[in-house]
Amino acid sequence: MVFLRSVSAISRLRSRVAKQSSVSNSVRWIQTQGSSDLDLKSQLQEIIPEQQDRLKKLKSQHGTVPVGNITVDMVLGGMRGMTGLLWETSLLDAEEGIRFRGMSIPECQKVLPAAQPGGEPLPEGLLWLLLTGKVPNKEQVDALSKELASRAAVPDYVYKAINALPLTAHPMTQFASGVMALQVESEFQKAYEEGVVHKSKFWEPTFEDALNLIARVPVVASYVYRRMFKDGSIIPLDDSLDYGANFSHMLGFDSPQMKELMRLYVTIHSDHEGGNVSAHAGHLVGSALSDPYLAFAAALNGLAGPLHGLANQEVLLWIKSVVEECGENISKEQLKDYVWKTLNSGKVVPGYGHGVLRKTDPRYLCQREFALKHLPDDPLFQLVSKLYEVVPPILTELGKVKNPWPNVDAHSGVLLNYYGLTEARYYTVLFGVSRSLGICSQLIWDRALGLPLERPKSVNMDWLDKFMSLSR
């Protein structure tokens, strides 16, 4: 009965929070559009003391209130579903998908500043939202674009570190190595070693590292791409461009639509609450007071895994295997046969299913809308659309999949391929650049709130056997 009452209380709380968020969002938009301060750091200096006080009250007034029950399945299942992390920048709902500071992706597309009227949101605007909880105006976003461009210079030794690796090294290996080399200039490490900053101000050198890192990762990532796939011909940063457009430009893609796609891509891949592998790895390593470079490099190593960020590479390769075997004009019946062939061989259909979501990923849907607008006749997009109709019923029939719907990875590769970025091995690096916004934003708040070293308790199977025998 205690368990049922606890679950019921949590369900009521989640329902109440969901209802309140939709109301408060519209109010927040009105309240924040008039903000005139163009400096992001000064905004945080105002907001952080309020949130520090809020955290203290939560601890003192509600610290002993249980928020859930841990089962043996959760212990054995990789802590899946356990509520155990504070992650301020985004929240993932199983039915609604990701919300950035309370805002859904369609809401962000409506209110965040764009490069052009009716265009995709600028990633700098989302970064401002993640850090402050406020919707920036265009002037604030433009100022942040200029600040990031001013921080984007990459030391020569970073390129030398990457060049020490063979060209055959996976792009993520080269990218993570470049991020580790950037760590040499960590402001947080210097301040901590010199003992010149009180722990209540640890967030300030972390802020400097975070913005430097966010500014520089597109430069490092594009260097890896040009080194591997374009004979090493490097395209320098253009400080007149915004963050997403500049990344596209440095990769070698200057079409207006590709720049729009990159703005959308970076925005929707930026954050996905704290429980996924890359976010959790960044938080875990950062909790040891490792600087943002070390924490983000750990996150990248998690993102490189086939069960996480590498999936976007696997999706396009699988789709191309369908075309190679069956042709571009494959019928739905042929596609069903191919899907069953994949499943019966012991493999999964890449891009389908999710650890938390129980509906179609909103990040998939906004990419689908982009494709319907810009490339409705592309054969690979049409194939993705057919898969959207064919795969979910098959996975439902299989009976082993909790979520038979497509996730973000099911669509991104086809869009990138259409605009000429055809090298699927590189796709996870794009994911990594995007994820820098969310992970670095949360690291700043980890320091501002003084979050402790992460140290969960582990047990062995003997302990579980004894616990179960005593609980009977």
Side-chain angles (χ1 to χ4, degrees):
M1 289 300 292
V2 173
F3 172 78
L4 292 175
R5 284 198 299 271
S6 177
V7 170
S8 177
I10 293 170
S11 298
R12 289 196 300 273
L13 176 61
R14 286 176 174 166
S15 177
R16 190 159 61 246
V17 169
K19 290 177 181 177
Q20 289 172 348
S21 66
S22 62
V23 175
S24 64
N25 283 343
S26 59
V27 175
R28 186 190 294 120
W29 300 343
I30 297 170
Q31 289 176 337
T32 59
Q33 293 302 313
S35 179
S36 60
D37 195 331
L38 302 184
D39 182 57
L40 180 57
K41 190 171 183 179
S42 66
Q43 292 267 317
L44 285 173
Q45 287 170 332
E46 292 181 13
I47 296 167
I48 283 173
E50 299 171 2
Q51 296 303 307
Q52 289 171 333
D53 290 341
R54 183 183 179 191
L55 183 64
K56 288 177 184 176
K57 289 179 181 177
L58 282 170
K59 284 183 177 180
S60 62
Q61 297 176 11
H62 309 293
T64 59
V65 176
V67 294
N69 290 271
I70 297 172
T71 65
V72 173
D73 276 342
M74 290 175 172
V75 174
L76 299 178
M79 300 191 291
R80 187 173 295 269
M82 291 184 186
T83 300
L85 286 174
L86 183 64
W87 194 267
E88 286 291 283
T89 50
S90 64
L91 184 66
L92 180 60
D93 182 88
E95 300 298 323
E96 292 187 349
I98 192 65
R99 283 186 174 272
F100 303 120
R101 291 288 189 171
M103 293 187 183
S104 68
I105 287 176
E107 289 168 342
C108 287
Q109 287 178 296
K110 289 179 182 178
V111 301
L112 289 178
Q116 56 197 31
E120 300 300 339
L122 291 163
E124 299 92 318
L126 186 74
L127 175 59
W128 191 290
L129 175 66
L130 292 177
L131 278 171
T132 68
K134 299 177 181 180
V135 174
N137 57 42
K138 186 63 163 58
E139 291 74 20
Q140 290 170 324
V141 170
D142 289 344
L144 183 54
S145 290
K146 291 179 181 177
E147 180 173 3
L148 290 173
S150 72
R151 293 170 176 263
V154 172
D156 287 341
Y157 55 76
V158 174
Y159 301 123
K160 291 178 180 177
I162 295 171
N163 290 340
L165 296 169
L167 284 173
T168 54
H170 194 278
M172 282 296 281
T173 302
Q174 299 186 45
F175 184 39
S177 298
V179 169
M180 283 298 296
L182 285 171
Q183 190 272 342
V184 173
E185 294 191 348
S186 170
E187 296 294 332
F188 180 84
Q189 183 188 46
K190 293 174 188 174
Y192 187 84
E193 289 179 349
E194 293 170 3
V196 296
V197 180
H198 188 271
K199 63 181 180 181
S200 64
K201 298 292 185 180
F202 277 173
W203 74 268
E204 294 187 0
T206 300
F207 175 90
E208 299 301 324
D209 278 350
L211 258 64
N212 287 338
L213 177 57
I214 290 169
R216 293 168 186 174
V217 289
V219 181
V220 174
S222 60
Y223 181 83
V224 170
Y225 178 76
R226 304 293 299 183
R227 176 179 187 250
M228 291 189 68
F229 305 113
K230 302 297 177 182
D231 298 323
S233 59
I234 307 306
I235 301 173
L237 177 141
D238 181 346
D239 57 13
S240 70
L241 296 175
D242 60 82
Y243 190 85
N246 229 325
F247 189 20
S248 179
H249 167 71
M250 289 186 291
L251 289 169
F253 303 96
D254 281 315
S255 74
Q257 285 188 16
M258 180 58 167
K259 289 177 180 177
E260 275 289 271
L261 175 60
M262 196 59 67
R263 292 172 185 128
L264 176 65
Y265 186 100
V266 174
T267 297
I268 66 174
H269 286 80
S270 63
D271 205 26
H272 215 231
E273 79 164 25
N276 65 78
V277 171
S278 58
H280 187 195
H283 180 274
L284 171 63
V285 173
S287 78
L289 289 186
S290 300
D291 62 62
Y293 298 97
L294 298 174
F296 184 62
L300 289 179
N301 290 331
L303 193 67
L307 297 183
H308 191 17
L310 199 69
N312 58 6
Q313 167 184 316
E314 301 301 312
V315 170
L316 185 64
L317 295 176
W318 184 80
I319 289 175
K320 287 187 173 181
S321 74
V322 175
V323 173
E324 287 175 8
E325 185 165 326
C326 306
E328 289 184 343
N329 298 317
I330 183 173
S331 69
K332 290 182 182 178
E333 290 304 315
Q334 289 175 303
L335 196 52
K336 287 179 183 178
D337 292 340
Y338 195 90
V339 170
W340 276 114
K341 176 182 175 182
T342 299
L343 295 171
N344 290 333
S345 68
K347 300 177 182 178
V348 299
V349 178
Y352 280 77
H354 193 277
V356 176
L357 285 171
R358 294 296 173 261
K359 289 186 177 179
T360 300
D361 192 335
R363 298 173 299 173
Y364 173 95
L365 293 174
C366 72
Q367 289 181 99
R368 177 173 171 79
E369 290 173 5
F370 185 95
L372 288 169
K373 181 179 179 180
H374 296 294
L375 48 135
D377 299 323
D378 176 58
L380 290 186
F381 167 59
Q382 293 179 346
L383 178 54
V384 167
S385 297
K386 289 178 184 177
L387 285 167
Y388 191 21
E389 298 178 45
V390 167
V391 174
I394 291 176
L395 295 181
T396 300
E397 180 184 340
L398 198 63
K400 297 179 181 179
V401 180
K402 292 182 180 180
N403 174 21
W405 304 105
N407 58 49
V408 65
D409 297 320
H411 216 304
S412 57
V414 166
L415 298 179
L416 296 165
N417 184 82
Y418 177 81
Y419 290 110
L421 210 169
T422 59
E423 298 85 1
R425 292 185 79 215
Y426 184 78
Y427 288 176
T428 313
V429 176
L430 302 176
F431 203 153
V433 171
S434 309
R435 193 49 60 91
S436 70
L437 274 66
I439 291 174
C440 287
S441 295
Q442 182 58 40
L443 281 169
I444 293 168
W445 277 102
D446 289 350
R447 297 287 195 272
L449 297 174
L451 298 189
L453 177 71
E454 187 180 330
R455 180 60 173 87
K457 169 66 177 162
S458 64
V459 297
N460 56 26
M461 286 193 283
D462 285 343
W463 187 97
L464 286 172
D465 284 338
K466 291 176 183 176
F467 176 79
M468 296 309 300
S469 65
L470 292 173
S471 63
R472 291 193 185 106

